[in-house]
Amino acid sequence: MDNIILENISPKYFTPRNVEQSEIWKKNIRFSKGDKHLIVAPSGSGKSTLATAILGTHFQYEGNIKYDQQVVKDLHLEKIVSNRKNGVSLLFQDVRLIKDLNISENILLRVFNEDRKKYIPTMKEYAQRLGIENLLNKKAENCSYGERQRSAIVRSLINPTNFLIYDECFSHLDVNNKQIAFNLIDEVSKQSGSSVIFFELNKFPFEHQYQLLHL
């Protein structure tokens, strides 16, 4: 997958705030592999609705979302799910780690059936950079929300998809840890050629080169 295309989309069952001023709703937008975007919107604007629609978890919208030339609504569920392995991934607001697994087990779920041993050095490096290396053997249910959030960021990067989508993934991090996590995401995405789309309530409090869009 090289492109995600939004064609005149809008939520089916609610009207977002500031829809007339939106740079995305009811517009034609193309996210191409390698692009970097920061989408900013206040609460109630439909950030999570749009993020999950792009992932293909629901079709409660007018218009079309396409993976390259394929309309997502027309794809078989198995094809949508298979796209999440290499095509598009979303780090949800609620993180979604499995509480009974430790942090390293949660992170390595994203390597699927590949040899997990070859990913361990990378996992440790990313965990060290985000300050959670000492948590790798700790159960997710015993970690704070901020620790689980950083763990989920490592999971998203251990075997990155072509499109990495983050829905308020820094909400429980202070500014310093937020910038460290942003720098890691940016660095890994450049190495992998991935596109990154952040959904945030506010602009980042540090400099970056991402294209800003208002939802």
Side-chain angles (χ1 to χ4, degrees):
M1 185 194 306
D2 293 321
N3 298 281
I4 294 175
I5 301 165
L6 312 183
E7 292 183 339
N8 196 35
I9 65 166
S10 60
K12 188 178 288 185
Y13 298 118
F14 74 98
T15 302
R17 298 178 185 176
N18 304 320
V19 66
E20 298 303 323
Q21 291 76 38
S22 173
E23 296 171 321
I24 296 178
W25 295 128
K26 298 186 177 181
K27 303 290 192 302
N28 293 320
I29 304 289
R30 178 187 294 265
F31 302 113
S32 296
K33 189 180 176 187
D35 289 350
K36 315 290 185 185
H37 290 88
L38 169 60
I39 297 174
V40 172
S43 296
S45 298
K47 292 189 297 298
S48 295
T49 298
L50 177 57
T52 50
I54 291 174
L55 186 65
T57 60
H58 70 84
F59 309 120
Q60 309 304 316
Y61 54 88
E62 307 289 349
N64 284 319
I65 296 174
K66 292 180 176 178
Y67 296 160
D68 293 324
Q69 298 304 312
Q70 298 177 311
V71 176
V72 176
K73 290 177 182 175
D74 295 339
L75 293 175
H76 192 280
L77 178 60
E78 290 182 359
K79 179 64 176 175
I80 293 174
V81 172
S82 73
N83 274 318
R84 295 175 194 169
K85 188 172 182 180
N86 300 309
V88 55
S89 63
L90 167 63
L91 176 48
F92 294 86
Q93 279 182 308
D94 58 3
V95 178
R96 300 192 179 184
L97 296 184
I98 298 175
K99 65 179 184 179
D100 293 333
L101 298 182
N102 65 35
I103 294 300
S104 63
E105 290 169 332
N106 270 287
I107 291 170
L108 293 172
L109 287 174
R110 249 221 69 80
V111 309
F112 305 107
N113 295 322
E114 296 185 49
D115 180 7
R116 295 188 173 194
K117 290 181 181 177
K118 73 176 184 180
Y119 289 92
I120 289 176
T122 302
M123 176 182 68
K124 288 183 176 179
E125 177 196 341
Y126 294 171
Q128 188 275 328
R129 289 183 58 176
L130 297 191
I132 57 167
E133 189 176 15
N134 62 326
L135 303 177
L136 291 174
N137 294 316
K138 189 174 181 179
K139 279 192 175 182
E141 64 180 343
N142 296 325
C143 295
S144 70
Y145 198 94
E147 291 168 343
R148 283 184 278 138
Q149 204 162 45
R150 282 178 282 172
S151 302
I153 290 170
V154 174
R155 183 178 60 184
S156 75
L157 297 174
I158 196 72
N159 185 21
T161 53
N162 291 340
F163 288 84
L164 298 164
I165 302 174
Y166 297 95
D167 186 8
E168 296 188 51
C169 68
F170 305 137
S171 60
H172 284 66
L173 304 185
D174 59 31
V175 173
N176 184 52
N177 280 309
K178 183 182 293 188
Q179 180 150 22
I180 291 171
F182 172 87
N183 290 343
L184 180 62
I185 292 170
D186 189 54
E187 181 181 314
V188 174
S189 66
K190 286 177 180 174
Q191 292 169 353
S192 62
S194 302
S195 176
V196 180
I197 304 172
F198 287 109
F199 287 86
E200 291 285 329
L201 281 172
N202 301 293
K203 298 177 184 177
F204 292 137
F206 44 79
E207 291 187 7
H208 60 83
Q209 301 300 316
Y210 283 46
Q211 181 180 352
L212 177 63
L213 291 170
H214 294 88
L215 185 60

